[in-house]
Amino acid sequence: MSYDYITTEKRGHILLVTMNRPEVYNAVHVDMHNEMADCWDKFAADRDLWVAVLTGAGDKAFSAGNDLKATAQGGSKAKMTDTGFAGLSSRFDLEKPIIAAVNGFAMGGGFETALSCDIILASENAKFALPEVKVGFFAAASGVQRLSRYIGRLAAQEMMYTGRTIDAQEALKLGCVNEVHPHEELLAKALEKAEQLCTVSPSAVKATKRVMNDLYRRDGFQESIAYSREVIADLAQTEDFKEGVNAFVEKRAPQWVNK
């Protein structure tokens, strides 16, 4: 697989995927979303690939989330993939596990990308936040739904309403990561976890994830994400939404008007 904004490497039954825009902390724009969607499509179709590891290029960031500068500038004219942020947040038919190796900060859509994976390993340097409210958005790419399920509604509401950042140890305590490792050991530990998954029946793992995916359907998860898209479309018409994006690009404090 050859892409402009991600790299891929096959290691036996494991696919290593690296978000590769370190100059913007692996922020994701439309073309990168579509590349990742294509990557996961090919991963799903390849019978020799049983598990994937997803990480970010560089030492600072897993992903800064949505590329707000590209959003403000209009970005690519390409159509956004139907499978959601990073080709993952609205994908409910993938039956192979993905391990997130969060090697730095995971903000907004970057955190939502990690939450869309099946197992999350974090560097001791990792930081997490859903800070969208600070720039006039909300965590519409499944963050609201996933974080509230993983750590409980009260803790998730506090994080999402304030947009505050937590470190790796607090993330582990809250339950939104599985393990924390020394930074220099993270990728090796993620690949070791992937190898562990390769020792069990891939058919049984796929069957297990098929049922997990079905749980999302039964509890209204997909419908809730669809509703999030409706709400973000309404929010995009507000003055606060436009002010949040402009203030971020102009590196100033936003002036909210509540309309």
Side-chain angles (χ1 to χ4, degrees):
M1 306 180 200
S2 178
Y3 300 103
D4 292 325
Y5 305 111
I6 62 175
T7 65
T8 61
E9 178 186 349
K10 293 183 179 181
R11 299 191 181 189
H13 294 304
I14 300 166
L15 178 67
L16 174 61
V17 180
T18 304
M19 294 177 282
N20 192 32
R21 298 183 74 211
E23 71 281 2
V24 290
Y25 303 116
N26 304 316
V28 187
H29 55 19
V30 170
D31 291 336
M32 186 172 169
H33 286 302
N34 291 333
E35 284 193 358
M36 295 185 76
D38 182 75
C39 172
W40 302 129
D41 288 344
K42 289 181 169 62
F43 169 62
D46 191 331
R47 294 185 63 181
D48 289 330
L49 290 173
W50 298 356
V51 58
V53 173
L54 175 64
T55 194
D59 289 328
K60 293 185 177 180
F62 176 74
S63 173
N66 182 29
D67 188 337
L68 287 178
K69 289 186 178 179
T71 299
Q73 294 166 359
S76 170
K77 301 303 180 184
K79 181 180 180 294
M80 172 73 174
T81 173
D82 293 333
T83 51
F85 203 97
L88 277 180
S89 65
S90 295
R91 182 183 294 267
F92 299 103
D93 58 356
L94 181 61
E95 296 180 355
K96 299 177 182 182
I98 303 175
I99 299 168
V102 182
N103 55 304
F105 57 81
M107 299 293 168
F111 190 14
E112 290 172 299
T113 299
L115 291 170
S116 299
C117 297
D118 301 278
I119 297 171
I120 306 174
L121 306 189
S123 158
E124 59 193 355
N125 298 339
K127 296 184 184 300
F128 302 85
L130 293 175
E132 286 89 345
V133 292
K134 294 183 177 182
V135 292
F137 291 58
F138 73 95
S142 80
V144 171
Q145 293 84 0
R146 286 191 161 96
L147 191 65
S148 60
R149 283 163 170 76
Y150 290 169
I151 70 174
R153 183 163 178 162
L154 279 177
Q157 285 172 170
E158 188 268 341
M159 279 189 66
M160 292 185 294
Y161 293 170
T162 64
R164 76 179 182 92
T165 299
I166 61 174
D167 62 19
Q169 289 301 327
E170 185 173 1
L172 182 65
K173 181 179 178 181
L174 285 170
C176 50
V177 304
N178 295 89
E179 300 171 8
V180 176
H181 295 287
H183 184 74
E184 64 277 6
E185 297 178 13
L186 176 66
L187 186 57
K189 291 293 185 181
L191 290 168
E192 182 181 307
K193 183 70 70 176
E195 291 285 2
Q196 181 182 351
L197 291 181
C198 288
T199 66
V200 300
S201 163
S203 298
V205 171
K206 287 167 64 180
T208 303
K209 188 166 179 179
R210 191 179 311 149
V211 175
M212 296 297 292
N213 288 341
D214 183 66
L215 275 177
Y216 280 142
R217 297 185 182 94
R218 291 177 188 273
D219 72 3
F221 188 96
Q222 290 176 256
E223 290 81 0
S224 183
I225 290 179
Y227 181 59
S228 289
R229 288 195 291 270
E230 294 179 22
V231 175
I232 199 85
D234 289 341
L235 182 62
Q237 304 306 310
T238 66
E239 293 182 29
D240 279 350
F241 182 95
K242 298 177 180 65
E243 169 64 8
V245 174
N246 290 334
F248 176 85
V249 173
E250 295 167 8
K251 298 182 179 179
R252 60 174 175 80
Q255 302 296 314
W256 306 120
V257 296
N258 195 30
K259 59 181 181 179

